[in-house]
């Protein structure tokens, strides 16, 4: 775990991220808040690319919780069978859809607590939805962000909750909205788990990672 970087260094890092890509976007395909919740829930232990492939045909048929209930679990399962843990995920999506219809009149709630009350929706999923759909500065810490945060010193922490707090506490407010996307994309394409692409990294001179692959 690297030492926590100071304010000015973190600010320089995010100024560079912003200059390279001012409006970073999530890579999960969706059409509305409901399909985003479903897509993010399906993405646990799966790649965004794999989820997008599985939901391409599904989201042409389904855009609301009621449409998912009408589709039925068997057809949903058939759509997502290429995704890991697909049987349990299908059950969770159906339970989630039923609750959304029964409790929330088919509308996805926009508080973290309400989102986390839905089957298959944890804190990370809730934060992704709050950030991507409602433009809240919520930080969804996945394996990529956890790795980047600890390697670089941007947001070191022993667990995902500690890294989330470190992001919220140390990244300047004007970068908070897009912080999670900048970090996840950096971890996905540059600061990869094995053989990080340090030579091509735009923050390598500011990063605290000792074993740089140059």
């Amino acid at each position: 775990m690297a030492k926590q970087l100071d304010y000015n260094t973190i600010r320089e890092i995010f100024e560079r991220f912003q200059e390279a890509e001012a409006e970073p976007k999530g890579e999960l395909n969706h059409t509305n808040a409901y399909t985003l919740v479903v897509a993010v829930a399906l993405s646990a232990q799966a790649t965004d690319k794999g989820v997008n492939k599985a939901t391409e045909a599904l989201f042409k048929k389904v855009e609301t919780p009621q449409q998912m209930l009408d589709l039925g679990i068997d057809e949903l399962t058939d759509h997502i069978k290429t995704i890991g843990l697909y049987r349990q995920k299908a059950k969770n999506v159906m339970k989630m859809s039923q609750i959304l219809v029964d409790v929330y009149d088919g509308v996805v709630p926009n508080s973290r607590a309400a989102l986390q009350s839905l089957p298959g929706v944890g804190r990370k999923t809730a934060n992704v939805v709050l950030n991507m759909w409602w433009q809240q500065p919520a930080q969804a810490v996945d394996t990529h962000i956890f790795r980047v945060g600890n390697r670089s010193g941007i947001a070191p922490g022993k667990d995902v909750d500690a890294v989330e707090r470190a992001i919220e506490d140390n990244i300047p407010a004007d970068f908070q909205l897009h912080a999670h996307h900048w970090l996840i994309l950096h971890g996905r394409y540059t600061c990869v788990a094995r053989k990080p692409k340090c030579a091509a990294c735009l923050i390598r001179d500011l990063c605290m990672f000792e074993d740089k692959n140059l």
Side-chain angles (χ1 to χ4, degrees), residues 2-163:
K3 182 181 178 180
Q4 175 68 58
L5 291 171
D6 62 81
Y7 173 85
N8 289 327
T9 304
I10 291 176
R11 182 155 202 95
E12 174 66 22
I13 284 171
F14 282 90
E15 284 175 351
R16 292 184 190 182
F17 283 150
Q18 186 177 59
E19 184 177 358
E21 188 171 4
E23 297 287 335
K25 303 295 182 184
E27 297 183 322
L28 280 174
N29 294 337
H30 59 282
T31 60
N32 56 26
Y34 173 68
T35 56
L36 178 58
V37 174
V38 172
V40 180
L42 293 177
S43 72
Q45 300 182 48
T47 65
D48 287 1
K49 184 177 180 180
V51 173
N52 288 341
K53 185 177 180 180
T55 59
E56 183 177 5
L58 175 65
F59 290 163
K60 289 178 181 178
K61 297 179 179 179
V62 172
E63 289 192 320
T64 69
Q66 187 59 57
Q67 287 175 344
M68 186 68 77
L69 295 175
D70 293 341
L71 184 74
I73 191 168
D74 290 342
E75 191 166 346
L76 170 60
T77 301
D78 189 56
H79 275 288
I80 67 170
K81 62 185 178 184
T82 56
I83 301 175
L85 306 175
Y86 69 95
R87 292 189 187 280
Q88 184 58 50
K89 289 177 180 179
K91 292 178 182 178
N92 284 338
V93 168
M94 298 306 291
K95 290 178 183 177
M96 173 206 306
S97 302
Q98 191 67 63
I99 292 171
L100 288 173
V101 169
D102 293 344
V103 179
Y104 298 102
D105 296 322
V107 178
V108 176
N110 61 356
S111 78
R112 184 181 289 111
L115 285 166
Q116 285 188 246
S117 73
L118 300 172
V121 178
R123 186 179 181 88
K124 184 182 78 171
T125 297
N127 281 348
V128 171
V129 175
L130 289 171
N131 181 276
M132 290 181 64
W133 193 258
W134 282 289
Q135 301 293 293
Q136 295 298 305
Q139 308 301 331
V141 178
D142 68 350
T143 56
H144 298 300
I145 295 177
F146 187 81
R147 178 174 64 254
V148 172
N150 277 290
R151 272 183 180 171
S152 66
I154 293 171
K158 293 183 178 180
D159 54 40
V160 294
D161 290 337
V163 171

Side-chain angles (χ1 to χ4, degrees), residues 169-207:
D169 290 346
N170 293 285
I171 294 176
D174 47 323
F175 297 118
Q176 286 277 339
L177 179 59
H178 294 311
H180 128 267
H181 279 127
W182 280 318
L183 291 172
I184 195 172
L185 294 171
H186 190 65
R188 185 173 290 166
Y189 297 111
T190 302
C191 193
V192 295
R194 296 181 181 180
K195 297 182 178 180
K197 301 171 185 178
C198 299
C201 176
L202 55 78
I203 63 166
R204 64 181 178 274
D205 58 317
L206 304 174
C207 172

